[in-house]
Protein backbone atom coordinates (compact mmCIF):
# COMPACT_ATOMS: atom_id res chain seq x y z
CA UNK A 1 0.00 0.00 0.00
CA UNK A 2 2.64 2.51 -1.11
CA UNK A 3 0.11 5.31 -1.60
CA UNK A 4 -2.19 4.86 1.36
CA UNK A 5 -3.77 8.19 2.39
CA UNK A 6 -2.12 10.00 -0.54
CA UNK A 7 -4.14 12.03 -3.02
CA UNK A 8 -3.12 11.40 -6.63
CA UNK A 9 -4.19 13.29 -9.78
CA UNK A 10 -4.09 11.49 -13.14
CA UNK A 11 -5.06 13.55 -16.18
CA UNK A 12 -6.74 11.55 -18.91
CA UNK A 13 -7.17 9.07 -16.10
CA UNK A 14 -10.30 7.24 -17.24
CA UNK A 15 -9.13 5.63 -20.50
CA UNK A 16 -6.15 3.74 -21.89
CA UNK A 17 -2.91 4.26 -20.01
CA UNK A 18 -4.55 6.64 -17.56
CA UNK A 19 -7.16 4.05 -16.64
CA UNK A 20 -4.45 1.48 -15.86
CA UNK A 21 -2.62 4.04 -13.74
CA UNK A 22 -5.75 5.05 -11.85
CA UNK A 23 -6.57 1.43 -11.05
CA UNK A 24 -2.99 0.74 -9.93
CA UNK A 25 -2.94 3.72 -7.58
CA UNK A 26 -6.32 2.71 -6.16
CA UNK A 27 -5.08 -0.82 -5.55
CA UNK A 28 -2.24 0.60 -3.45
CA UNK A 29 -4.42 2.75 -1.24
CA UNK A 30 -4.48 6.16 -2.95
CA UNK A 31 -7.39 8.55 -3.28
CA UNK A 32 -7.39 9.01 -7.05
CA UNK A 33 -8.64 12.10 -8.85
CA UNK A 34 -8.98 11.05 -12.50
CA UNK A 35 -9.72 13.77 -15.03
CA UNK A 36 -11.36 13.45 -18.42
CA UNK A 37 -12.38 16.02 -21.00
CA UNK A 38 -15.84 14.92 -22.16
CA UNK A 39 -16.22 11.13 -22.17
CA UNK A 40 -18.44 10.61 -19.13
CA UNK A 41 -19.00 6.97 -20.12
CA UNK A 42 -15.32 6.22 -19.61
CA UNK A 43 -15.52 7.71 -16.12
CA UNK A 44 -18.47 5.45 -15.33
CA UNK A 45 -16.55 2.46 -16.69
CA UNK A 46 -13.55 3.25 -14.52
CA UNK A 47 -15.74 3.46 -11.44
CA UNK A 48 -17.22 0.06 -12.22
CA UNK A 49 -13.77 -1.45 -12.79
CA UNK A 50 -12.53 0.00 -9.49
CA UNK A 51 -14.91 -2.26 -7.58
CA UNK A 52 -14.32 -2.11 -3.86
CA UNK A 53 -11.86 0.77 -4.32
CA UNK A 54 -14.46 3.02 -5.99
CA UNK A 55 -15.08 4.91 -2.77
CA UNK A 56 -11.57 6.38 -3.16
CA UNK A 57 -12.10 7.39 -6.80
CA UNK A 58 -13.17 10.89 -7.78
CA UNK A 59 -13.65 11.72 -11.46
CA UNK A 60 -13.51 15.30 -12.74
CA UNK A 61 -14.53 16.71 -16.12
CA UNK A 62 -11.60 19.06 -16.81
CA UNK A 63 -10.22 20.31 -20.12
CA UNK A 64 -6.49 20.70 -19.44
CA UNK A 65 -6.24 23.24 -22.29
CA UNK A 66 -8.67 25.58 -20.48
CA UNK A 67 -6.67 27.71 -18.05
CA UNK A 68 -9.71 28.80 -16.06
CA UNK A 69 -10.96 25.22 -15.71
CA UNK A 70 -7.55 24.03 -14.53
CA UNK A 71 -7.34 26.82 -11.97
CA UNK A 72 -10.82 25.99 -10.66
CA UNK A 73 -9.89 22.31 -10.44
CA UNK A 74 -6.84 23.02 -8.31
CA UNK A 75 -8.79 25.54 -6.25
CA UNK A 76 -10.94 22.67 -5.02
CA UNK A 77 -7.83 21.22 -3.32
CA UNK A 78 -7.08 24.29 -1.24
CA UNK A 79 -7.07 22.23 1.96
CA UNK A 80 -6.03 18.92 0.38
CA UNK A 81 -2.36 18.10 -0.15
CA UNK A 82 -1.74 16.40 -3.49
CA UNK A 83 1.17 13.95 -3.43
CA UNK A 84 1.30 12.92 -7.09
CA UNK A 85 0.41 14.48 -10.44
CA UNK A 86 0.61 12.35 -13.57
CA UNK A 87 0.33 14.43 -16.74
CA UNK A 88 -1.10 11.72 -18.97
CA UNK A 89 -3.74 13.54 -21.04
CA UNK A 90 -2.75 13.43 -24.69
CA UNK A 91 -4.07 13.36 -28.24
CA UNK A 92 -2.81 12.65 -31.76
CA UNK A 93 -3.69 14.45 -34.99
CA UNK A 94 -1.35 12.80 -37.50
CA UNK A 95 -0.50 14.20 -40.92
CA UNK A 96 2.56 14.92 -43.01
CA UNK A 97 3.81 18.34 -41.99
CA UNK A 98 3.16 19.98 -45.36
CA UNK A 99 -0.46 18.81 -45.18
CA UNK A 100 -1.01 19.39 -41.46
CA UNK A 101 -3.81 21.78 -40.60
CA UNK A 102 -2.83 24.61 -38.25
CA UNK A 103 -5.68 23.68 -35.93
CA UNK A 104 -4.33 20.12 -35.61
CA UNK A 105 -0.88 21.44 -34.72
CA UNK A 106 -2.39 23.78 -32.12
CA UNK A 107 -4.69 21.12 -30.61
CA UNK A 108 -1.87 18.62 -30.02
CA UNK A 109 0.50 21.18 -28.52
CA UNK A 110 -2.28 22.64 -26.36
CA UNK A 111 -3.28 19.29 -24.88
CA UNK A 112 0.02 17.46 -24.63
CA UNK A 113 2.36 20.30 -23.69
CA UNK A 114 0.46 23.37 -22.54
CA UNK A 115 -1.96 21.21 -20.56
CA UNK A 116 0.98 19.69 -18.70
CA UNK A 117 2.39 23.14 -17.98
CA UNK A 118 -0.92 24.37 -16.60
CA UNK A 119 -1.49 21.33 -14.39
CA UNK A 120 2.09 21.31 -13.13
CA UNK A 121 2.08 25.00 -12.27
CA UNK A 122 -0.72 24.57 -9.76
CA UNK A 123 0.62 21.23 -8.56
CA UNK A 124 3.88 22.91 -7.56
CA UNK A 125 2.01 25.54 -5.55
CA UNK A 126 0.08 22.78 -3.76
CA UNK A 127 3.11 20.60 -3.11
CA UNK A 128 5.48 23.32 -1.92
CA UNK A 129 3.62 23.72 1.36
CA UNK A 130 4.10 20.08 2.28
CA UNK A 131 7.65 19.97 0.88
CA UNK A 132 6.85 16.77 -0.93
CA UNK A 133 5.52 15.79 -4.33
CA UNK A 134 5.90 13.72 -7.45
CA UNK A 135 5.19 15.18 -10.90
CA UNK A 136 5.34 12.91 -13.94
CA UNK A 137 4.86 13.47 -17.65
CA UNK A 138 3.86 10.61 -19.94
CA UNK A 139 6.01 11.34 -22.97
CA UNK A 140 6.98 9.19 -25.98
CA UNK A 141 9.96 7.97 -28.03
CA UNK A 142 8.44 10.18 -30.74
CA UNK A 143 10.00 13.12 -28.91
CA UNK A 144 13.44 11.56 -29.25
CA UNK A 145 13.48 9.87 -32.64
CA UNK A 146 10.36 11.11 -34.43
CA UNK A 147 7.90 9.25 -36.63
CA UNK A 148 6.60 10.21 -40.04
CA UNK A 149 3.34 12.11 -39.88
CA UNK A 150 3.76 13.00 -36.22
CA UNK A 151 5.58 16.33 -36.29
CA UNK A 152 3.09 17.91 -33.91
CA UNK A 153 3.03 14.91 -31.57
CA UNK A 154 6.83 14.56 -31.54
CA UNK A 155 7.28 18.27 -30.88
CA UNK A 156 4.86 18.13 -27.95
CA UNK A 157 6.60 15.12 -26.44
CA UNK A 158 10.07 16.62 -26.83
CA UNK A 159 8.68 19.76 -25.22
CA UNK A 160 7.46 17.75 -22.24
CA UNK A 161 10.97 16.48 -21.63
CA UNK A 162 12.43 19.97 -21.85
CA UNK A 163 9.82 21.25 -19.41
CA UNK A 164 10.55 18.36 -17.05
CA UNK A 165 14.29 19.06 -17.04
CA UNK A 166 13.80 22.73 -16.21
CA UNK A 167 11.09 22.20 -13.61
CA UNK A 168 13.01 19.50 -11.73
CA UNK A 169 15.78 22.01 -11.00
CA UNK A 170 13.33 24.61 -9.75
CA UNK A 171 11.60 22.40 -7.19
CA UNK A 172 14.21 19.86 -6.05
CA UNK A 173 14.95 21.73 -2.80
CA UNK A 174 11.26 21.52 -1.95
CA UNK A 175 11.27 17.73 -1.97
CA UNK A 176 9.43 17.56 -5.29
CA UNK A 177 10.70 15.27 -8.04
CA UNK A 178 9.83 15.65 -11.72
CA UNK A 179 10.33 12.85 -14.24
CA UNK A 180 9.04 11.44 -17.51
CA UNK A 181 7.89 7.95 -18.39
CA UNK A 182 8.24 7.26 -22.11
CA UNK A 183 6.03 4.40 -23.31
CA UNK A 184 6.60 2.92 -26.72
CA UNK A 185 3.69 1.45 -28.64
CA UNK A 186 1.02 0.35 -26.17
CA UNK A 187 -2.18 -1.52 -26.98
CA UNK A 188 -4.74 1.21 -26.22
CA UNK A 189 -7.46 2.99 -28.19
CA UNK A 190 -4.95 5.74 -29.06
CA UNK A 191 -3.54 3.35 -31.69
CA UNK A 192 -6.86 1.99 -32.96
CA UNK A 193 -6.67 4.08 -36.13
CA UNK A 194 -3.32 2.68 -37.27
CA UNK A 195 -3.54 0.60 -40.48
CA UNK A 196 -2.82 -3.12 -40.06
CA UNK A 197 0.28 -3.00 -42.25
CA UNK A 198 1.73 -0.18 -40.15
CA UNK A 199 1.01 -2.10 -36.94
CA UNK A 200 2.91 -5.09 -38.37
CA UNK A 201 5.83 -2.86 -39.33
CA UNK A 202 6.00 -1.23 -35.92
CA UNK A 203 5.95 -4.62 -34.16
CA UNK A 204 8.73 -5.78 -36.45
CA UNK A 205 10.83 -2.77 -35.43
CA UNK A 206 10.38 -3.45 -31.70
CA UNK A 207 13.03 -5.86 -30.34
CA UNK A 208 10.38 -7.57 -28.17
CA UNK A 209 8.14 -7.92 -31.26
CA UNK A 210 4.97 -6.81 -29.48
CA UNK A 211 3.16 -3.75 -28.18
CA UNK A 212 3.25 -3.05 -24.48
CA UNK A 213 0.39 -3.52 -22.04
CA UNK A 214 -1.08 -0.55 -20.16
CA UNK A 215 -0.31 -2.27 -16.85
CA UNK A 216 3.38 -2.44 -17.77
CA UNK A 217 3.49 1.33 -18.17
CA UNK A 218 1.53 1.84 -14.97
CA UNK A 219 4.15 -0.15 -13.04
CA UNK A 220 6.88 2.26 -14.12
CA UNK A 221 4.74 5.25 -13.20
CA UNK A 222 4.00 3.76 -9.78
CA UNK A 223 7.68 3.40 -9.00
CA UNK A 224 8.65 6.95 -9.96
CA UNK A 225 5.61 8.26 -8.06
CA UNK A 226 6.57 6.41 -4.88
CA UNK A 227 8.74 7.44 -1.94
CA UNK A 228 11.25 4.81 -3.08
CA UNK A 229 12.21 7.09 -5.99
CA UNK A 230 13.20 10.01 -3.75
CA UNK A 231 16.60 10.57 -5.43
CA UNK A 232 15.38 10.24 -9.02
CA UNK A 233 14.53 13.51 -10.74
CA UNK A 234 15.09 14.99 -14.18
CA UNK A 235 15.01 11.52 -15.75
CA UNK A 236 13.13 9.92 -18.63
CA UNK A 237 12.38 6.23 -18.11
CA UNK A 238 11.88 4.41 -21.41
CA UNK A 239 9.33 1.61 -21.34
CA UNK A 240 9.35 0.68 -25.00
CA UNK A 241 10.42 -2.93 -25.43
CA UNK A 242 13.81 -1.75 -26.67
CA UNK A 243 12.50 0.56 -29.41
Amino acid sequence: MRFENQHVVVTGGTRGLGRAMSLSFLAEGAVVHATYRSDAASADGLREAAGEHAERLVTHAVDVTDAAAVEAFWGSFEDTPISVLVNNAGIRRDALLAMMKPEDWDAVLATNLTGGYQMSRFAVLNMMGQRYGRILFVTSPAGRQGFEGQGNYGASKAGQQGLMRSLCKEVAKRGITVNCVSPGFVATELLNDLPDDLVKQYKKDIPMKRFGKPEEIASAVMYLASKDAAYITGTTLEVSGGL
Side-chain angles (χ1 to χ4, degrees):
M1 303 293 281
R2 287 178 291 179
F3 299 94
E4 189 170 11
N5 299 322
Q6 292 189 27
H7 286 256
V8 174
V9 173
V10 183
T11 67
T14 63
R15 300 171 57 191
L17 290 180
R19 182 178 188 272
M21 294 171 199
S22 294
L23 292 173
S24 293
F25 279 116
L26 286 169
E28 292 217 29
V31 177
V32 174
H33 302 269
T35 78
Y36 63 96
R37 185 172 60 181
S38 58
D39 186 359
S42 68
D44 292 339
L46 174 61
R47 183 169 299 280
E48 182 177 350
E52 63 181 354
H53 304 308
E55 63 181 12
R56 288 184 280 103
L57 171 65
V58 187
T59 56
H60 306 259
V62 181
D63 183 349
V64 297
T65 70
D66 184 334
V70 171
E71 184 172 6
F73 170 75
W74 282 98
S76 69
F77 299 122
E78 184 176 0
D79 299 318
T80 303
I82 300 299
S83 298
V84 180
L85 165 65
V86 182
N87 288 300
N88 171 71
I91 62 172
R92 286 176 37 238
R93 296 286 187 273
D94 295 355
L96 296 176
L97 190 67
M99 305 299 175
M100 186 176 291
K101 298 176 181 179
E103 56 266 33
D104 288 340
W105 172 273
D106 292 342
V108 170
L109 270 292
T111 300
N112 300 3
L113 182 56
T114 303
Y117 144 72
Q118 295 189 143
M119 293 293 293
S120 298
R121 183 165 75 96
F122 289 102
V124 167
L125 295 174
N126 180 288
M127 294 171 177
M128 283 174 62
Q130 56 186 315
R131 301 190 70 84
Y132 177 85
R134 301 284 185 263
I135 298 175
L136 291 99
F137 293 86
V138 179
T139 185
S140 167
R144 169 174 51 83
Q145 65 189 64
F147 296 102
E148 292 182 12
Q150 291 192 341
N152 50 2
Y153 188 75
S156 72
K157 294 302 179 177
Q160 287 178 333
Q161 295 183 56
L163 173 57
M164 174 270 291
R165 292 190 186 101
S166 293
L167 181 57
C168 77
K169 293 175 173 62
E170 297 175 3
V171 299
K173 291 182 179 180
R174 299 282 187 170
I176 303 169
T177 66
V178 191
N179 292 289
C180 287
V181 172
S182 180
F185 294 99
V186 183
T188 70
E189 61 268 21
L190 188 65
L191 301 184
N192 284 348
D193 62 340
L194 291 179
D196 290 342
D197 58 339
L198 195 55
V199 169
K200 291 179 181 178
Q201 181 60 51
Y202 284 152
K203 288 183 178 179
K204 183 179 179 181
D205 293 340
I206 299 169
M208 287 191 171
K209 306 303 179 186
R210 66 174 178 88
F211 285 176
K213 302 174 184 177
E215 295 76 16
E216 292 172 319
I217 312 306
S219 293
V221 168
M222 296 284 284
Y223 172 66
L224 288 177
S226 73
K227 293 181 179 180
D228 293 335
Y231 201 58
I232 301 174
T233 195
T235 293
T236 297
L237 174 59
E238 294 271 348
V239 192
S240 62
L243 187 66

